[in-house]
Amino acid sequence: MGELGRTLHAWRDRVTPEQAGLPAGGRRRAPGLRREELAQLAGLSVDYIVRLEQGRSDSPSVQVLTALARALRLSDAERNHLFVLAGEVEPSPGRVSAYIPPGVQRIVDQLDGAPLCVCDAAWTAITWNSLFAAMIGDPSQWHGRWRNIVYRHFVAPGDRVVQTPEQQRDFRIAMVTDLRASLARYPHDADLQALIDELRTRYDGFARLWDQPVVGFHRSERKTIQHPEVGAFTIDCDVLAVPGSDLRLVVYTAEPNTEAAEKLRLLSVIGLQALT
């Protein structure tokens, strides 16, 4: 644990706030991230970061290690080394990965004018920018399977994205097609199999599509957002594949000088705060 703590501290020192998409803010004793900033980026408590760096914590979980690797912008080799230091098995190529390469993380940090999120091969949201959270709802408040886009769609339809019946069917077919392909690539991923089994068992709409030979693909499309504060607006949605991985970037953009563009600008100002 002592070596793990020293390594985490060294990696924290080399990441500047600008690289992490954070404001530099005031005088700093060191150019790297503060513990509070790393905790914010990784979704952990400051006290836990302190205990990790001081070697006073039990072995961190795979989820914690993955979050730290993402927040610290680690390369594949560095991420594997982090797992070894923590006494965990290196991420297996046979399981769905939640690792985000530094280049993809920079896209999330720098495209602050477009709502976007990054999902893994099972369509679980891994990270997102603040404008996505303001537009769709804050995923940090979603826990467990509720961060999975497919699960949320079948279990609790009727979120802020308004779909026509045709759009809903096309969306569902594309998602089922994706999950079939992911299961073929990761047949030994227990979490992925459990997700599919639950959806097939509990939701007839999913089961019918899963058992049919239907195939669908994601296309660029217009989506209507029904936002509780700024009202309805229509926006373009694109799903982009990340070369060399199974990550998907879901990116929303608005045409310049439109009502949607103005409402996005308003959301970027108010963030997650409710208008009064």
Side-chain angles (χ1 to χ4, degrees):
M1 289 298 104
E3 181 61 27
L4 172 65
R6 287 189 292 272
T7 303
L8 284 174
H9 194 162
W11 281 336
R12 177 167 63 84
D13 281 345
R14 75 180 186 181
V15 180
T16 66
E18 292 84 359
Q19 290 171 329
L22 298 173
R27 300 178 62 183
R28 309 177 72 92
R29 290 182 296 175
L33 294 174
R34 297 183 176 116
R35 285 171 174 150
E36 295 83 356
E37 292 167 334
L38 176 57
Q40 174 188 341
L41 292 168
L44 303 170
S45 71
V46 178
D47 178 65
Y48 187 67
I49 297 294
V50 172
R51 287 188 285 117
L52 274 178
E53 291 190 352
Q54 294 180 351
R56 297 188 290 109
S57 175
D58 295 333
S59 297
S61 66
V62 170
Q63 291 77 13
V64 166
L65 295 171
T66 301
L68 287 169
R70 181 170 65 247
L72 292 167
R73 275 52 176 179
L74 301 186
S75 66
D76 287 348
E78 290 169 336
R79 176 194 54 160
N80 292 344
H81 184 57
L82 175 65
F83 272 70
V84 170
L85 289 177
E88 288 286 349
V89 178
E90 295 178 20
S92 168
R95 291 182 57 106
V96 172
S97 174
Y99 175 67
I100 298 181
V104 176
Q105 186 62 57
R106 283 193 292 272
I107 293 175
V108 177
D109 296 337
Q110 295 175 17
L111 281 182
D112 55 2
L116 69 86
C117 74
V118 182
C119 296
D120 64 15
W123 277 100
T124 297
I126 307 170
T127 191
W128 50 87
N129 62 11
S130 58
L131 191 51
F132 178 88
M135 185 180 80
I136 297 296
D138 186 4
S140 67
Q141 304 303 310
W142 307 340
H143 301 288
R145 210 158 268 170
W146 284 100
R147 282 198 184 180
N148 184 273
I149 305 300
V150 185
Y151 185 85
R152 291 183 66 86
H153 179 81
F154 280 93
V155 175
D159 60 9
R160 296 179 185 180
V161 180
V162 180
Q163 294 179 312
T164 66
E166 182 181 3
Q167 285 177 321
Q168 183 187 74
R169 175 171 173 79
D170 289 347
F171 176 83
R172 290 183 170 188
I173 291 174
M175 286 298 189
V176 168
T177 300
D178 280 354
L179 286 185
R180 278 207 207 95
S182 295
L183 185 60
R185 288 193 297 275
Y186 305 102
H188 304 299
D189 190 296
D191 290 339
L192 175 60
Q193 185 66 66
L195 168 68
I196 294 170
D197 288 345
E198 181 177 349
L199 288 171
R200 290 186 71 190
T201 301
R202 297 180 58 187
Y203 302 99
D204 292 340
F206 182 90
R208 283 194 299 270
L209 291 176
W210 185 269
D211 295 333
Q212 294 174 7
V214 293
V215 177
F217 304 96
H218 298 283
R219 303 187 302 267
S220 297
E221 65 174 331
R222 306 271 290 169
K223 291 192 175 183
T224 298
I225 307 299
Q226 183 65 56
H227 194 276
E229 305 298 340
V230 302
F233 58 97
T234 302
I235 197 169
D236 292 314
C237 178
D238 291 275
V239 177
L240 310 177
V242 178
S245 78
D246 286 318
L247 297 177
R248 289 81 180 239
L249 273 71
V250 182
V251 184
Y252 293 87
T253 55
E255 294 181 18
N257 303 316
T258 61
E259 180 186 22
E262 289 300 322
K263 290 189 174 182
L264 277 187
R265 276 192 284 272
L266 178 58
L267 283 175
S268 71
V269 174
I270 67 174
L272 297 175
Q273 300 177 18
L275 289 173
T276 58

